[in-house]
């Protein structure tokens, strides 16, 4: 089974090569940056890629972006992300692609060699391998975003102005509507965000926090 590895730390990259080869994998290339990863994947078309998220030149999400770019050219290319971080935006994009195997493991949680090798084989076979912490963070992000999807464009506009600290009167003047109309919008926003009347919680603040969180 042919593997491409992308890892910028030389010691870890060498360790992954030795580990996978010891279990019968053929490491066709190991690279340390995003552009080289795209080239290696499109050239070798391996059975699976083991990719770190943060690679040169940006050290942000270069590895994930490179993997997604390669999957555009090779639909269904199996990718196992091995990282210290959960990059939610591109992780969700990768995991939402229903073609081919995908995995996302956190480096500090991979303590069992057998489980790691099994994860590589599972992804190569079209399956999934997800760290529980990755799942938890993605579900938390989704839970924050979903209520906002129910808001109308006008309600989103009102909530955005609330986030700027504007009062109902100021929002009404900004949008050239009555203050009563803004009051109806804010009550609708509170309802859709699941913020019932309460003596303890300031619904306006909680609504703005939901907006900023998403």
């Amino acid at each position: 089974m042919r593997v491409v590895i992308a890892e910028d730390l030389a010691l870890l990259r060498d360790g992954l090569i030795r580990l996978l080869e010891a279990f019968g994998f053929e490491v066709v290339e190991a690279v340390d940056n995003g552009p080289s990863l795209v080239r290696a994947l499109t050239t070798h078309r391996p059975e699976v890629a083991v990719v770190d998220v943060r690679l040169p030149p940006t050290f942000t999400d270069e590895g994930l972006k490179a993997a997604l770019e390669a999957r555009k050219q090779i639909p269904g290319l199996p990718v196992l992300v091995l990282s210290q971080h959960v990059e939610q935006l591109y992780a969700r994009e990768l995991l939402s692609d229903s073609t081919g195997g995908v995995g996302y493991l956190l480096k500090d949680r991979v303590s069992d060699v057998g489980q790691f090798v099994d994860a590589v084989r599972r992804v190569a076979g079209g399956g999934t391998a997800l760290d529980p912490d990755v799942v938890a963070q993605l579900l938390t992000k989704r839970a924050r975003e979903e209520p906002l999807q129910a808001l109308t464009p006008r309600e989103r506009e009102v909530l955005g102005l609330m986030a700027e600290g504007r009062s109902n009167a100021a929002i009404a003047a900004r949008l050239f509507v009555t203050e009563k109309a803004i009051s109806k919008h804010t009550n609708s926003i509170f309802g859709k965000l699941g913020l019932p009347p309460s003596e303890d919680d300031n619904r306006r603040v909680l609504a703005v926090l939901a907006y900023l969180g998403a």
Side-chain angles (χ1 to χ4, degrees):
M1 188 178 296
R2 297 173 309 122
V3 184
V4 166
I5 295 173
E7 169 59 56
D8 66 301
L9 296 177
L11 287 176
L12 182 53
R13 186 170 63 250
D14 185 64
L16 286 171
I17 293 172
R18 293 173 182 272
L19 172 64
L20 291 174
E21 288 182 340
F23 280 84
F25 294 89
E26 178 189 358
V27 179
V28 292
E29 190 168 353
V31 301
D32 64 358
N33 63 82
S36 294
L37 174 59
V38 176
R39 177 198 50 76
L41 292 176
T42 54
T43 299
H44 296 290
R45 295 177 175 257
E47 275 70 48
V48 63
V50 178
V51 178
D52 187 11
V53 169
R54 300 190 174 184
L55 295 174
T58 66
F59 287 103
T60 54
D61 46 24
E62 200 73 18
L64 258 179
K65 289 169 68 176
L68 288 168
E69 175 61 30
R71 279 173 71 97
K72 290 179 182 178
Q73 300 182 48
I74 311 171
L77 173 69
V79 174
L80 173 61
V81 175
L82 186 62
S83 177
Q84 291 179 325
H85 313 276
V86 181
E87 301 293 343
Q88 295 190 2
L89 176 61
Y90 291 106
R92 292 179 70 178
E93 185 175 346
L94 176 66
L95 298 175
S96 64
D97 186 349
S98 60
T99 59
V102 292
Y104 203 125
L105 301 179
L106 298 180
K107 290 179 180 178
D108 59 359
R109 305 256 303 185
V110 180
S111 57
D112 187 294
V113 170
Q115 289 182 353
F116 170 67
V117 172
D118 177 67
V120 176
R121 288 186 174 135
R122 200 182 324 145
V123 171
T128 58
L130 299 178
D131 189 289
D133 282 358
V134 174
V135 175
Q137 289 195 41
L138 295 179
L139 288 178
T140 299
K141 173 74 172 178
R142 184 174 182 181
R144 287 201 306 266
E145 287 182 340
E146 281 187 337
L148 295 187
Q149 302 299 321
L151 301 184
T152 66
R154 175 61 91 181
E155 289 169 348
R156 284 173 172 270
E157 191 173 11
V158 170
L159 183 52
L161 292 171
M162 285 171 56
E164 294 178 10
R166 299 176 186 270
S167 66
N168 280 5
I171 296 173
R174 175 71 175 270
L175 299 180
F176 303 102
V177 297
T178 65
E179 191 172 344
K180 184 177 181 180
I182 296 302
S183 180
K184 288 183 177 180
H185 285 311
T186 55
N187 286 331
S188 177
I189 290 169
F190 295 151
K192 291 178 179 179
L193 294 181
L195 300 173
S198 170
E199 295 180 357
D200 299 322
D201 298 322
N202 186 322
R203 291 191 296 169
R204 202 176 187 89
V205 172
L206 293 175
V208 168
L209 288 175
Y211 173 80
L212 295 176

